[in-house]
């Protein structure tokens, strides 16, 4: 997104900064602000059910271990015993599928 520094809003912001800067250089310790008597309204946000479900799923994932220790142990045991067989064709297919997905 490009920001137009020549827009009227940018010019207004620059003018406001210059006023604050001028006030500070004139000996004023803090910029002068004018407040109105209107009560300040606070913005509120309500999350949809979809977002709430996503937050619950995220919390569940955060509490799930990254590694299935039992599966790792069984694969290690199969490798150690020599009974673990690798299907080269299936590995190649999965690599191609992954590469295709990344494009």
């Amino acid at each position: 997104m490009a920001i137009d520094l020549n827009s009227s809003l940018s010019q207004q912001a620059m003018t406001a900064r210059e006023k604050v800067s001028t006030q500070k250089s004139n000996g004023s310790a803090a910029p002068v602000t004018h407040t109105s008597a209107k009560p300040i309204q606070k913005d509120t946000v309500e999350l949809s059910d979809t977002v709430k479900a996503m937050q619950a799923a995220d919390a569940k994932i955060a509490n799930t271990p990254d590694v299935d220790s039992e599966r790792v142990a069984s694969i290690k045991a199969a490798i150690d015993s020599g009974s673990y067989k690798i299907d080269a064709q299936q590995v190649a297919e999965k690599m191609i599928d992954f590469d295709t997905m990344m494009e």
Side-chain angles (χ1 to χ4, degrees), residues 53-71:
M54 289 174 63
Q55 287 178 332
D58 189 39
K60 187 174 182 180
I61 290 170
N63 294 326
T64 303
D66 293 333
V67 177
D68 185 353
S69 300
E70 291 178 14
R71 179 155 167 79

Side-chain angles (χ1 to χ4, degrees), residues 16-28:
R17 281 190 216 113
E18 290 168 358
K19 286 181 183 177
V20 170
S21 176
T22 304
Q23 289 172 354
K24 285 182 180 178
S25 65
N26 288 337
S28 177

Side-chain angles (χ1 to χ4, degrees), residues 54-96:
M54 289 174 63
Q55 287 178 332
D58 189 39
K60 187 174 182 180
I61 290 170
N63 294 326
T64 303
D66 293 333
V67 177
D68 185 353
S69 300
E70 291 178 14
R71 179 155 167 79
V72 170
S74 69
I75 292 172
K76 280 185 177 183
I79 291 171
D80 289 341
S81 69
S83 63
Y84 187 77
K85 302 294 181 208
I86 297 173
D87 182 358
Q89 181 68 31
Q90 185 181 15
V91 171
E93 288 173 2
K94 295 287 184 178
M95 290 173 69
I96 291 170

